[in-house]
Amino acid sequence: QLQASGGGLVQAGGSLRLSCAASGRTFSSYFMGWFRQAPGKEREFVATISGGGGGTYYADSVKGRFTISRDNAENTVYLQLNSLKPEDTAVYYCAARPSGRAFEYWGQGTQVTVSS
């Protein structure tokens, strides 16, 4: 089970930190990811991190502005959102996948709204 939090309303140029708490004892064996879905658009990939935290990958649209990290002792993955733009407005979802498989576990989403 994944529980995302930390969303909110922020002005353009501002920052937010999203958190996703996971239940279970094998958290470190899962790749974790963040996705987002804006109104009227399809869900899109934002960032992913390997089980140990040493590997990360970002969508071009957020590279250099967002940072994904994880704390395996706390079973939590984070997404630091900096230099936010109105086009970053979306519901952000965290997800988990075993190595070699597609994302198959999803959180409930947290709303991020960036005002201009």
Side-chain angles (χ1 to χ4, degrees):
Q1 185 175 4
L2 302 174
Q3 183 74 31
S5 61
L9 173 64
V10 64
Q11 289 188 330
S15 298
L16 283 173
R17 189 193 197 199
L18 307 183
S19 299
C20 176
S23 59
R25 294 174 292 179
T26 59
F27 178 72
S28 62
S29 68
Y30 285 82
F31 284 73
M32 299 298 296
W34 286 94
F35 294 75
R36 66 186 182 186
Q37 187 167 20
K41 295 187 177 182
E42 293 186 352
R43 185 170 59 194
E44 65 175 359
F45 165 79
V46 174
T48 189
I49 188 167
S50 60
T56 58
Y57 184 77
Y58 298 90
D60 287 344
S61 59
V62 307
K63 200 173 297 182
R65 300 188 298 121
F66 294 5
T67 302
I68 189 170
S69 62
R70 64 190 297 161
D71 184 338
N72 285 343
E74 297 293 330
N75 279 16
T76 303
V77 63
Y78 303 98
L79 186 68
Q80 179 69 40
L81 292 67
N82 296 331
S83 302
L84 281 161
K85 306 175 181 179
E87 53 263 43
D88 294 318
T89 294
V91 177
Y92 284 70
Y93 298 90
C94 61
R97 67 174 182 88
S99 179
R101 298 175 63 174
F103 284 98
E104 58 186 48
Y105 302 102
W106 294 86
Q108 85 289 1
T110 184
Q111 176 71 48
V112 172
T113 303
V114 184
S115 63
S116 57

